[in-house]
Amino acid sequence: MRTIRVWFTKTGEASYISLLDLQRVMQRALKRSGLPVWYTLGFNPHIYMTFAAPLSLGQESLCETVDFKTEEDGYDWDAAAPVLSACLPKGIDVVRIAPAALDANDIAGAAYAVRYAPRDAAAARAAWEAYNAAPSAEVVKEGKHGKTKTIELKTHLPTARLLVEDGGLTALLRLPAGNTLNVNPVLVLGWLEDASGLPVTAGRILRTDIYTKTGEKFS
Amino acid sequence: MDEKLRAALAAVQKPGRYTGGEPGCVYKEKDRVDLRFAFCFPDTYEVGMSFLGMKILYEILNKRENIWCERAFMPWVDMKRQMEALDIPLYALESKDALSRFDVVGFTLQYELSYTNILAMLDLAHIPLYAKDRGEDDPFIVAGGPCVCNAEPLADFFDLMMLGEGEVQLPDVCDTIIQGRREGLSKKEILKRLYKIEGVYIPAFYEVDYLPDGRVAAITAKEGAPAVVRKAIIADMNSQPLPENFVVPMIGAVHDRAQIEVLRGCVRGCRFCQAGFLYRPMRERNADMLSRAGQNLCANTGYDEISLTSLSTSDHSQLETLLDDMLEWTPKEHVSMSLPSLRIDNFSESLVRKTTAVRKSGLTFAPEAGTQRLRDVINKNVTEQEIERTCSLAFDAGYTSVKLYFMLGLPTETLEDVEGIADTAQRVVELYYQNPNKPKGRGVQVSISVACFVPKPMTPFQFVGQDTQDRLREKQQHLLRSVKSRKISVSYHDSRTSFLEAVFAKGDRRLSRVLEEAYRRGCFFDSWEEQFRYDTWLEVFRDLGVDPAFYANRAIGLDELTPWSHLDYGVTKDYLVREYQKALNARTTPPCNRQCSGCGANALLGGPCFAYN
Ligand code: SF4
C-alpha cells in the first residue's frame, strides 16, 4: 500500500468550505474520478484520507494537501490531476498528484501573503510598519476548553516583508504551522486591528507554501 | 466575489450556504442567453438543497442553451442582517447577480409557513412585493409547487402561478416570455398569452367577491382567462428522463444523497393527504430506466447513498425487480440504498433483507391513527395485524428501534382513539419482548411522533374545521397520560404552528395584507421554532381585523364556494364530497391499482389509470 498526495488550491468560493465539508467533497470527488483509491473494509467502506495542516474558514491557499492510499503500482498520477480537478468544485484545482515523500508530521511552517486592496493600502502599510518596528507584539490565543494563552508574535514573526502590487499592498509572512505549534495569521491581523485599527477583514489571507522543520518545501 | 460579500461572509455562521460553486452547478455567459431564471427556495440552503423538484427543473432549464437557471435560498437571520447592513441585494448563487436583474424569479411553495420568507426574499432583492407595484423592468415573479393549489393568500404578490407538474410547462412559460419580449410586448400582453399554457394561473385576471359573512360569493375570470385552470400533468413518466446530475451541496443538506423518483402520485387515497390528491393519478417509471439513471447519477455526483423516492415507493409494481437491478451495481460501486416511504402493509421479508443488506437504520411507520375505526375514517388501510407482522419481521431482522407517526385532531376523533395511539405503541413494545429472535441483551425503543391534523384544500377533509388549540392540547395531555411504558417516548408538534398552517392553507386573498404586515413586524422563518413569533401573528390578525379562526376552525359547507374553486387538479368536487361522507361513516375506499373509484383524474390521461385484469 502506498500513500498518494494530492496538492490543490482552495480559493474564492472554495475558501468557505470547512474541513468537515471538505472531507465529504473530496470523498465524492475521488469516487467520481475513478482513480484507484483504496477503501476501508467493513460495513461502511470509505476512502481513508488525511489532510495536512488544514486552513481556517475564509482563508485561501495554493498548497493544500490530502493523502489517500492505493494498492496500485506505476499508475500515471500526472494524468490523473486534471481528471480529479474536473470532479471538484470551483476554486479547488488539483496542482499535482504524486506519491508522498515526507510525513505530514514533518510540517513546521507556512508562508502567507496577506493582500490589501488599493484603497486600504496606505492604512495597511502604516499598520504593518508599526508591527515591524514594535519591540513586542503579544496576543491572547483562545485555546480549547476556554483556556487562554499569551503568545509573543515577535518570536515567530520578527518582521513581515511588504510589497506593492497593482496599487495594493501585500504583506509576506512565515509562521509556525503543523501539529506541534500552529500560529494562525489571523492572530497577527488581530494585533494590527487592536494596535492600528486596521480591520482584520481588510486583508485577504493566502497560504503560498508549506515547509518542514529543516526549512525545505513539504512534498 | 466582491468585497462587501466577503465581509458579510466573514461575519456569519455558515458562509458555505451563500457561496455557490458546488460540483455540478451550471455557469453560462449571461449575455449569450435569452432568459435568466432564478429558482428560489424560501427556506435555508440545507433544506432547499434537499428538494428533488429543484434539481429536476434546474437540469431541464439548463439543458436549454438559451436559458440559464440559477438558485437562491432564504439567507439565515445572521446573513440577512449582514446583507441589510452592507446593502447587498439578494443574489443568485451562480452569478452572484441580484435577483432584480433576472427575467423570471420563481418560488416553489412547499409549505404555508414559508410564505413570509418569500416576502423577505423579494424585499431583500429590492423587488416590490405586490404585483401591481412592479414595472416592466422588474422580473416576472412566478410560483409552482403543491401549495399553489390554494396560494390565494399570496395571490397579490405573484404575476403567475403554475399548477401541476413543471417539466414541460415551465420551459413553455419561459419560451412564451422570450417570444413576447422579442416582439416587444408588455408584461400584461405576455401574461395574456401565458394563460393558454396548461396549468398557468394569473391571479390578477380573477376577481373575487365576498358575502357579508366573509365567505366567497363569486370568482370571475377576466381578460379572457379560463374560468377554471386545470393542472399540467406528465401523462407518461417514462417520457421524462430522470436528472443524472445534481448540484452536490458541500455543506450537508438535510437529505444529502442521490434520489430517483420511482413513481409520482399515490394509489392509496388517504383522505388527509394533500399530495395524494394533487398528484393523481399514480404513474410509474420502468425499473430498468430507474436503475440506469440511478447508476449514472451516483457516478456523476459521487454520492454513496441513493434513495428511491416517491409518496409510496413500495407500491411500485416492479419494486422487487428494481431492487434486484440495483443490487447488481450498488455494492461494487460502494452505494447504499434507502427506501424512505415503506408502507406497513407490503413490507415483505425480502424487502427487509435487500435494504438492510447495505444499510441498517431505524424503522419508521405511519399508522396515523390509533384505532381501526379512525384509520378507516382517514382511509389509512393498515390493520393491527399488519403493524404486528411488520414489527415482528423488523425485530427478526435485528431492528431495535421503531418510530411511529400519528396525527391528533383527525375528524371524528375521540379520546378513545387517542388512547389507541398509546396502546399501539405498547403492543409494539410487547411484541419485541415476545420475539425469540430479538437481538440479545438489547431493549427496544419505540418513539411516537404526533402531528396536529391540518385540513387541506383539494382533499375530502377540506370541509372540516381544525380542532381548536385548546382541544388539541387536551388531547396531547391525554396521550401523555395514557403512555405507561418507559420504552415509549412521545414528541408532539406545536399546535400554534399547525393552526397558522391551517389558516394559510384554507385562506383567501384577504390574507395577503396579514402576511405583509407580519413580515414587516419581523415574522419570517416561521417554521423554525426559534424564529416563530406567535404573539406577533395574533397581534397582526387583531390589528387588521381578520379572524384566523374563520379560516382554520370553521367547517366549510359542502355546497360552499371555496377560495380555490377555480383551480382544478383533476379530482372532482363530487368525489371529495362522496369521500368525506364515507369517512364520516368509517367506510374505506380501495387503492386505485385494485379498483377505480371514479375520482375523475383519469380524464387528465384521457383513459383508464390502470390496466385492471
Ligand atoms: S380515476 Fe380512479 S384509478 Fe384514477 S386516480 Fe381516480 S380513483 Fe384512482
Side-chain angles (χ1 to χ4, degrees), chain B residues 172-308:
Chain B
D172 282 353
V173 165
C174 291
D175 283 334
T176 308
I177 293 174
I178 292 170
Q179 183 58 31
R181 286 264 161 88
R182 214 169 264 154
E183 292 173 30
L185 301 184
S186 70
K187 264 177 147 179
K188 183 167 179 188
E189 287 164 322
I190 297 176
L191 288 173
K192 286 173 81 166
R193 286 192 182 172
L194 283 165
Y195 64 59
K196 299 190 180 103
I197 299 171
E198 189 90 299
V200 169
Y201 167 48
I202 319 281
F205 292 171
Y206 297 78
E207 205 171 273
V208 184
D209 295 304
Y210 300 92
L211 296 166
D213 65 9
R215 291 177 301 158
V216 173
I219 301 174
T220 320
K222 304 181 299 187
E223 309 281 354
V228 170
V229 181
R230 190 163 94 163
K231 76 163 178 183
I233 190 166
I234 305 296
D236 176 9
M237 286 301 284
N238 289 317
S239 71
Q240 275 303 315
L242 290 106
E244 296 194 348
N245 264 300
F246 276 10
V247 179
V248 181
M250 300 188 281
I251 62 171
V254 178
H255 298 292
D256 198 4
R257 56 183 78 98
Q259 299 175 54
I260 46 174
E261 187 192 21
V262 301
L263 55 87
R264 195 172 285 176
C266 180
V267 293
R268 298 280 158 170
C270 298
R271 292 174 180 135
F272 56 86
C273 177
Q274 190 182 39
F277 284 89
L278 293 184
Y279 297 105
R280 283 185 174 220
M282 187 265 245
R283 291 143 291 147
E284 309 182 338
R285 281 189 169 109
N286 290 336
D288 174 50
M289 173 185 199
L290 287 164
S291 176
R292 244 181 309 116
Q295 188 171 12
N296 291 340
L297 181 59
C298 288
N300 291 337
T301 55
Y303 273 122
D304 56 8
E305 187 185 349
I306 188 163
S307 140
L308 313 186

Side-chain angles (χ1 to χ4, degrees), chain B residues 484-499:
Chain B
K484 299 286 191 291
S485 165
R486 301 261 286 289
K487 304 282 174 205
I488 303 173
S489 62
V490 183
S491 65
Y492 49 81
H493 288 192
D494 184 351
S495 61
R496 302 174 309 168
T497 49
S498 308
F499 174 66

